[in-house]
Amino acid sequence: MPSKINLLICVFILHLWAVNSVTGQNVGVYEIKKGDFSVKVTNYGARIISVFLPDKHGETGDVVLGYDTIEEYKNDTTSFGALLGRVANRIGGAQFTMNGTLYKLVANDGVNTLHGGIKGFSRVVWNVSKYQQDGPYPHITLTYHSADGEEGFPGDLLVSVTYALKNPYKLSVVMKAKALNKATPVNLAQHSYWNLGGHNSGNILSNVVQIFASHITPVDQSLIPTGEISPVKNTPYNFLKPREVGSQIKELQSGYDINYVVDSTEKMKPVAIVYDEKSGRVMDVQASAPGVQFYTANSLNQKGKGGYVYQPHAALCFETQGFPDAVNHPNFPPTIVTPGKAYVHKMLYTFSITKYWNSY
Ligand SMILES: *[C@@H]1O[C@H](CO)[C@@H](O)[C@H](O)[C@H]1NC(C)=O
Ligand SMILES: *[C@@H]1O[C@H](CO)[C@@H](O)[C@H](O)[C@H]1NC(C)=O
Ligand SMILES: *[C@@H]1O[C@H](CO)[C@@H](O)[C@H](O)[C@H]1NC(C)=O
């Protein structure tokens, strides 16, 4: 009997989601699904709210941190699963000069701008423009019109993100932006917090990580890049060979929170591989962006799904993106998007299962 009631409630909730997908502006939850692989997304901040994957025993588990309700996402300060913009990461002094004009942005991280400002793109409601729950190409496309002057950024900007599932166990994220009338900096990033052992399985310090990057962009005390590009060789930042995340973390103040310069010059670049021994889950990250912010959730202390409290190092983030504060560093790859030239940032997560790291 209780399961019948649950089913009725489910059908009712699914009906609400369907209504929301038509009206667009309302906040809803949308699932895309391929067998035992499923991802839930909300149009509040274009956020990924769950990723279910099988482990080596065939048991599915949720491998991203998050909340049970949209109300909690509205209070969120961690950016769990968010699509960040107009400019992800930090802009020093909350300002930049472009073609001789000084642009003042909203400061929300001391004197700096972090993740696009107070609302950025992660605390706004996106439109749902395409949605296919299952079948050969489960996907959802969300769009957002960012107005001229929003958070201090110049020009209207049309942004979209498509989350799609591909065989076998691939999640593709395609972020696009089009400047409608003025040149503007754009740096979109996906900010999921990954714990391949399960969102409520404790810390990730024993995960084995490899990052395909020989250099980082060092930062000052307020996490603004100094402009240097320095080698990882002989530092705790060296993940060129796979090793446990926690093996040198104590040499850092609180953990990893740094932009790596990805080595590959291919269109889709190998970025990182993570292996969790307990579950056997492996995540391979590729992206078209030149950098990746590697973050080990250093300051986390947040009640999340099922009331579980996420502590520091409960997850790993691989925020592929342009370099932080690129607008103030002419030696970094440019992030200015001009009208008529589209911005595209592609990511591909490939998940697999292995019993032994060596056999991967
Ligand atoms: C959101 O934050 C407010 C203020 O701190 C709090 O009163 C409220 O309970 C929070 N809501 C949720 C759903 O956590
Ligand atoms: C800067 O100004 C030059 C000359 O007016 C123009 O060609 C160029 O597109 C401008 N660049 C940006 C980023 O606005
Ligand atoms: C959503 O779509 C409507 C209709 O096209 C448009 O007027 C509105 O600006 C869009 N909202 C956002 C947030 O992009």
Side-chain angles (χ1 to χ4, degrees):
M1 234 9 220
S3 68
K4 219 170 191 178
I5 290 166
N6 281 343
L7 190 69
L8 277 175
I9 292 169
C10 280
V11 166
F12 179 65
I13 290 169
L14 280 170
H15 173 73
L16 287 182
W17 293 344
V19 170
N20 282 339
S21 73
V22 176
T23 54
Q25 290 283 2
N26 296 334
V27 173
V29 175
Y30 301 83
E31 185 182 44
I32 49 177
K33 194 170 173 28
K34 226 179 210 318
D36 55 2
F37 179 32
S38 66
V39 174
K40 278 182 187 160
V41 167
T42 173
N43 57 327
Y44 180 74
R47 292 171 187 243
I48 291 177
I49 62 181
S50 69
V51 174
F52 277 89
L53 280 174
D55 65 9
K56 65 183 173 190
H57 307 295
E59 310 246 340
T60 57
D62 185 356
V63 296
V64 292
L65 276 48
Y67 306 102
D68 292 322
T69 65
I70 299 296
E71 285 314 305
E72 290 167 284
Y73 279 99
K74 289 182 179 168
N75 270 4
D76 172 56
T77 57
T78 66
S79 300
F80 281 160
L83 204 288
L84 304 174
R86 186 178 296 199
V87 176
N89 216 311
R90 290 179 176 82
I91 294 180
Q95 63 178 41
F96 64 96
T97 302
M98 188 173 62
N99 255 8
T101 305
L102 177 70
Y103 294 91
K104 289 197 177 280
L105 307 171
V106 174
N108 63 331
D109 182 52
V111 298
N112 307 316
T113 301
L114 177 61
H115 296 335
I118 292 167
K119 287 190 164 186
F121 293 175
S122 60
R123 289 189 192 88
V124 295
V125 180
W126 294 51
N127 279 342
V128 178
S129 67
K130 287 182 195 149
Y131 175 46
Q132 175 68 54
Q133 186 181 22
D134 45 24
Y137 180 52
H139 69 285
I140 182 165
T141 299
L142 304 153
T143 57
Y144 179 66
H145 182 163
S146 173
D148 186 8
E150 203 171 294
E151 307 275 21
F153 290 104
D156 289 271
L157 189 74
L158 280 186
V159 185
S160 75
V161 58
T162 298
Y163 296 110
L165 302 188
K166 298 178 177 178
N167 271 336
Y169 300 108
K170 285 180 195 285
L171 166 62
S172 128
V173 181
V174 177
M175 298 162 253
K176 293 184 182 172
K178 207 162 82 177
L180 295 188
N181 36 46
K182 291 179 191 166
T184 176
V186 175
N187 186 25
L188 305 180
Q190 220 302 321
H191 202 317
S192 285
Y193 283 65
W194 300 95
N195 187 327
L196 295 181
H199 77 95
N200 55 356
S201 67
N203 72 55
I204 45 65
L205 296 176
S206 65
N207 280 191
V208 175
V209 165
Q210 183 170 24
I211 302 176
F212 301 99
S214 309
H215 295 83
I216 53 165
T217 54
V219 290
D220 65 19
Q221 288 95 325
S222 60
L223 301 178
I224 301 300
T226 59
E228 294 159 280
I229 292 177
S230 63
V232 296
K233 211 177 154 195
N234 301 323
T235 75
Y237 293 103
N238 189 349
F239 283 99
L240 286 165
K241 291 207 185 95
R243 64 177 170 90
E244 287 192 4
V245 180
S247 57
Q248 287 181 271
I249 203 166
K250 290 213 171 74
E251 296 172 40
L252 304 171
Q253 219 165 40
S254 56
Y256 295 92
D257 191 6
I258 195 81
N259 173 61
Y260 283 79
V261 180
V262 176
D263 283 341
S264 169
T265 53
E266 298 293 305
K267 243 188 180 153
M268 278 307 271
K269 310 172 210 309
V271 175
I273 299 178
V274 188
Y275 168 58
D276 173 62
E277 191 181 10
K278 280 171 285 171
S279 64
R281 294 190 183 104
V282 178
M283 177 172 81
D284 172 306
V285 184
Q286 292 177 40
S288 61
V292 59
Q293 186 83 14
F294 177 48
Y295 178 52
T296 46
N298 305 328
S299 53
L300 209 54
N301 179 16
Q302 179 63 53
K303 189 154 101 174
K305 296 174 194 174
Y308 187 81
V309 178
Y310 302 125
Q311 305 276 356
H313 311 314
L316 299 167
C317 302
F318 296 93
E319 305 154 61
T320 65
Q321 56 185 270
F323 297 2
D325 201 29
V327 279
N328 292 312
H329 297 283
N331 61 321
F332 287 179
T335 51
I336 304 295
V337 172
T338 50
K341 198 166 180 302
Y343 163 99
V344 182
H345 173 188
K346 294 184 181 178
M347 290 186 91
L348 185 65
Y349 297 98
T350 303
F351 301 98
S352 56
I353 295 163
T354 186
K355 288 219 167 99
Y356 309 100
W357 172 256
N358 291 343
S359 68
Y360 181 75

